[in-house]
Amino acid sequence: MLFLLLPLLAVLPGGGNADGLKEPVSFHVIRITTFYNHSWKRNLISGYLGDLQTHTSDRNCSTIIFLWPWSRGNFSNEEWKELEMLFHMRCVRILEGMHRYSRELQFEYPFEIQWTGGCELHSGKFSGSFLRLAYQGSDFVSFQNNSWLPSPVAGNMAKRLCKMLNQNQHKNNITHSLLSDTCPRLILGLLDAGKAHLQRQVKPEAWLSHGLSPGPGRLQLVCHVSGFYPKPVWVMWMRGEQEQQGTQRGDILPNADGTWYLRATLDVAAGEAAGLSCRVKHSSLEGQDIILYWGEKELGPRLEMPRGGPQA
Ligand SMILES: *[C@@H]1O[C@H](CO)[C@@H](O)[C@H](O)[C@H]1NC(C)=O
Ligand SMILES: *[C@@H]1O[C@H](CO)[C@@H](O)[C@H](O)[C@H]1NC(C)=O
Ligand SMILES: *[C@@H]1O[C@H](CO)[C@@H](O)[C@H](O)[C@H]1NC(C)=O
Ligand SMILES: *[C@@H]1O[C@H](CO)[C@@H](O)[C@H](O)[C@H]1NC(C)=O
Ligand SMILES: *[C@@H]1O[C@H](CO)[C@@H](O)[C@H](O)[C@H]1NC(C)=O
């Protein structure tokens, strides 16, 4: 039941911060590079504030692309230019290095390298950073303090890569400063510049429908909740004040407009549907839970998914 409880905790005071983001707030960059052969690679790069994508890059890592008007935070254009250059240089060098040393490192084509790096803030204070590299989906090396360390399970290849990466201590110092200084400042700047967007409260709409019949004499009741923001939401089938433990939550899916969609279903014997209700709690409702009673309203035909529909 923990997964049902967690979203509720996040809605209640103390569970999240005022920005609609769960604590700790993180910023991280994910980069996935697929090396098909010695001359062909593909790069995907994205930056995230919490689970909201804020940045991306072209495939050559030559330009940082800002996905929101506030994605620059409070950094000046000069600072972004500098970061862009640094990012580009490192991206290109690492890619060249991977190609050049692939034999020495015993990387076999095709292979995939995943980088993830970023930092976290707790109550507005820096609370940690991370930078890890995975080879073929397994931990390979990570950056700790001021140098690269091999993953204990990665063996000699990882040790060799660390040796290479640690040759330039100045570079490692810059990496350290990016993670422990630039990154937290970026988060604070983004939280501030994006405040109106991140703190917005959008009320859900809810409606009920029949699902596919689970079997003879049984009904599947479906409660749809859509268009809410922020993401934490609590939805439960109820009989009076009694939570129905058979409630099944789907995944929370994104709508095209940046709001969220969730459905909660309950399988019941046809005779027991009367008196059941779907209850929705969300921070935007300010305690005025939505309660819809099965059979009370016409379940007339309507659009299943307004606002463009979830992007699966
Ligand atoms: C590398 O892979 C790409 C994409 O699969 C292919 O088009 C290209 O011919 C390959 N080049 C070599 C040298 O194998
Ligand atoms: C990426 O770099 C290559 C080689 O430097 C260049 O030919 C290509 O036009 C660049 N692509 C983009 C989208 O900048
Ligand atoms: C941006 O805002 C943060 C937090 O208020 C502050 O520490 C920083 O100095 C500001 N400016 C830059 C360029 O980071
Ligand atoms: C990291 O460095 C700090 C001082 O710079 C030291 O106190 C700490 O023990 C180091 N941590 C690790 C895991 O090496
Ligand atoms: C890297 O940082 C450490 C600790 O801050 C410092 O002692 C050292 O001189 C720096 N090395 C280089 C090459 O910048």
Side-chain angles (χ1 to χ4, degrees):
M1 295 317 285
L2 193 60
F3 71 103
L4 290 175
L5 214 59
L6 284 176
L8 175 60
L9 292 175
V11 171
L12 298 173
N17 69 5
D19 301 304
L21 294 168
K22 272 184 245 156
E23 288 277 8
V25 186
S26 68
F27 181 84
H28 68 281
V29 174
I30 296 177
R31 182 163 134 209
I32 302 173
T33 309
T34 310
F35 297 80
Y36 291 102
N37 54 41
H38 200 76
S39 55
W40 186 267
K41 63 184 186 303
R42 195 183 55 148
N43 234 343
L44 287 172
I45 302 160
S46 355
Y48 291 85
L49 178 66
D51 58 16
L52 178 69
Q53 193 179 354
T54 49
H55 299 81
T56 183
S57 166
D58 64 355
R59 298 198 163 183
N60 280 2
C61 352
S62 46
T63 318
I64 295 173
I65 298 164
F66 301 95
L67 297 178
W68 300 97
W70 46 269
S71 290
R72 290 172 180 271
N74 66 348
F75 287 6
S76 63
N77 286 342
E78 288 72 46
E79 193 157 6
W80 278 115
K81 272 270 165 304
E82 232 169 84
L83 282 172
E84 197 170 69
M85 232 153 67
L86 187 64
F87 169 68
H88 176 65
M89 262 161 31
R90 291 199 162 192
C91 182
V92 169
R93 291 226 180 101
I94 289 183
L95 293 180
E96 283 173 353
M98 289 290 172
H99 271 313
R100 187 162 343 120
Y101 297 115
S102 58
R103 185 167 304 148
E104 194 176 330
L105 291 168
Q106 296 165 15
F107 288 175
E108 283 178 25
Y109 292 102
F111 63 88
E112 190 166 84
I113 302 281
Q114 296 159 287
W115 282 263
T116 171
C119 66
E120 282 182 354
L121 297 186
H122 221 293
S123 312
K125 294 260 185 304
F126 176 71
S127 63
S129 65
F130 53 94
L131 177 57
R132 290 188 292 269
L133 186 158
Y135 167 69
Q136 304 291 48
S138 303
D139 281 340
F140 200 67
V141 298
S142 66
F143 191 76
Q144 312 249 344
N145 252 351
N146 235 337
S147 59
W148 290 93
L149 292 178
S151 158
V153 295
N156 286 334
M157 290 151 71
K159 286 191 191 133
R160 248 176 281 162
L161 181 61
C162 287
K163 212 170 187 178
M164 260 188 265
L165 291 169
N166 287 331
Q167 272 166 8
N168 189 337
Q169 186 53 42
H170 181 61
K171 227 183 227 177
N172 280 356
N173 283 6
I174 294 175
T175 304
H176 178 75
S177 142
L178 285 172
L179 291 170
S180 59
D181 174 58
T182 313
C183 176
R185 279 192 298 116
L186 175 62
I187 294 185
L188 289 172
L190 288 174
L191 290 178
D192 192 47
K195 197 186 286 175
H197 184 87
L198 298 166
Q199 293 185 359
R200 76 196 198 280
Q201 291 283 334
V202 188
K203 287 185 185 173
E205 286 189 74
W207 68 97
L208 307 179
S209 74
H210 286 276
L212 291 176
S213 171
R218 297 192 67 79
L219 290 178
Q220 185 184 58
L221 318 186
V222 187
C223 181
H224 306 260
V225 184
S226 187
F228 55 91
Y229 185 93
K231 193 174 183 181
V233 69
W234 184 93
V235 182
M236 188 61 87
W237 280 98
M238 313 282 291
R239 186 178 297 284
E241 290 300 309
Q242 191 74 44
E243 292 177 14
Q244 299 301 293
Q245 300 303 331
T247 301
Q248 303 262 2
R249 273 170 68 114
D251 292 328
I252 299 185
L253 302 174
N255 280 323
D257 65 355
T259 64
W260 298 97
Y261 169 90
L262 173 68
R263 51 183 258 157
T265 60
L266 182 68
D267 290 351
V268 292
E272 291 170 6
L276 285 166
S277 61
C278 174
R279 183 162 192 158
V280 181
K281 294 176 192 283
H282 186 258
S283 52
S284 64
L285 299 170
E286 295 171 347
Q288 306 280 307
D289 300 354
I290 295 177
I291 303 175
L292 297 177
Y293 289 92
W294 183 257
E296 187 172 84
K297 271 195 197 154
E298 186 73 21
L299 298 170
R302 56 169 296 170
L303 283 176
E304 276 268 296
M305 293 159 188
R307 298 170 189 269
Q311 307 167 324

